[in-house]
Amino acid sequence: MRMVMKMAAVSTISLLLLCCSAISSTDSKEVCDYLATGANFTVPMMSTVVESDRLRWKHDNKYIVDRKAGEFLEGNKMLISENGSLKLTNVMKKNSGSYVPEVFDKDGAKKLIKFEVKGLCVIDPVLKPVVKPACKKPANVQFTCDVQAKTKDHNFEWLMNGVLEKEKSQTLTRQADQVKTDSFSCRVSNKVNSMTSAAVVQPCIEITSFFPETLLGINTWIFVGAGGGVVLLLIIVVIVCCVRSKRRKRLQLKEEGELRLAWTNDQHQHHQHNHPQEQHPHQQSHHHHHPHKQPAGHTGPRQQRSKQQHPRNPDQPGARPLPSPRRPAQAPRPPGDIDEEQPPPLPQPRKIIKKAAKAQRV
């Protein structure tokens, strides 16, 4: 009886120990940090470590760093930072696992340090995927997101015209007539990166356009571009011709005006040299009978004409009045005086033509 009770007690204690071990292993489950192959990572040291301490880093069950009093028994100084953290460069999948530090004082006693079991999970990054469309009966099109090195960690997303769709599978099916001109692309991601493919359109229904794609074996847009260039060149030529024509016409009008002005000046000077003192007889008579004529350009009040009659001869009654003595004729001026006189200011071409016409009539 006692034997049975002892065995029951031992069984109970063993069961409790197993439960505690399970709970302990569950609580100490390591946290995994995902890294892409080729990346760099630093496992932090949570406590302070001095140079005289002995520092060990253990990868799973193997020591990869052992530094004692500044000397490295395992590993090298490139793996340890100043505060004791572990530096990993260009990690590979073999670097996955847990990393645990150990610190001892100079007497060899193990120090109680605060640390966190760090687990690394190194995986390959995803590459850029490719969308492959395929026509399916009766009138559907199926898009497949093709990615190299597919694993179970890959996640798929679809985008139509840049807008995210709800499907999350590797393939996407649509009715071809409803997505004639729509573009589709896929996005693949894992725990370290994501990549998006180039957009494609469905090939099942031909997209008709106003212009054919090729003309005489050459792309239609090449002809369109060449025609646009020719039209632009013609527009430039027309503008240049118009500008040159206007400039030529302006110069022609200017030359005609200068020639006309020179001709009228020559005529005026010739007339002054040939008739310096000529005066029409009628003008002389008129000047004789009107000695008090106002000067040209006079705008003041007119002077009263003299009512004085010509003197009569008192011995002959009824006789005509005697003419008044004439002024002595003025001697003509020498040609030198004419040349020294200042010529009047040159009139405008139109005024000169009118005055020349009046002089010809007289």
Side-chain angles (χ1 to χ4, degrees), residues 163-236:
V163 180
L164 187 65
E165 296 291 294
K166 62 181 180 180
E167 285 82 358
K168 303 295 182 183
S169 60
Q170 191 175 0
T171 60
L172 179 68
T173 304
R174 290 286 186 271
Q175 291 185 4
D177 58 348
Q178 295 182 359
V179 292
K180 289 183 179 180
T181 59
D182 295 320
S183 60
F184 290 85
S185 59
C186 69
R187 180 186 299 158
V188 182
S189 62
N190 61 7
K191 295 183 181 298
V192 293
N193 75 324
S194 65
M195 296 293 290
T196 303
S197 69
V200 299
V201 296
Q202 59 82 27
C204 304
I205 298 178
E206 184 178 358
I207 302 174
T208 58
S209 61
F210 182 76
F211 294 102
E213 293 185 0
T214 58
L215 184 64
L216 300 178
I218 303 175
N219 195 333
T220 306
W221 289 109
I222 296 178
F223 286 98
V224 173
V230 172
V231 172
L232 180 61
L233 181 61
L234 290 176
I235 292 174
I236 294 174

Side-chain angles (χ1 to χ4, degrees), residues 281-298:
H282 178 71
Q283 292 179 355
Q284 293 179 359
S285 170
H286 184 74
H287 178 73
H288 175 73
H289 292 290
H290 300 282
H292 300 286
K293 186 177 179 180
Q294 300 292 335
H298 180 74

Side-chain angles (χ1 to χ4, degrees), residues 239-255:
I239 292 174
V240 171
C241 292
C242 291
V243 172
R244 289 176 61 87
S245 177
K246 288 184 178 181
R247 184 178 298 174
R248 191 181 301 111
K249 187 174 182 180
R250 190 182 302 112
L251 291 175
Q252 184 178 359
L253 292 175
K254 184 177 180 181
E255 291 176 356

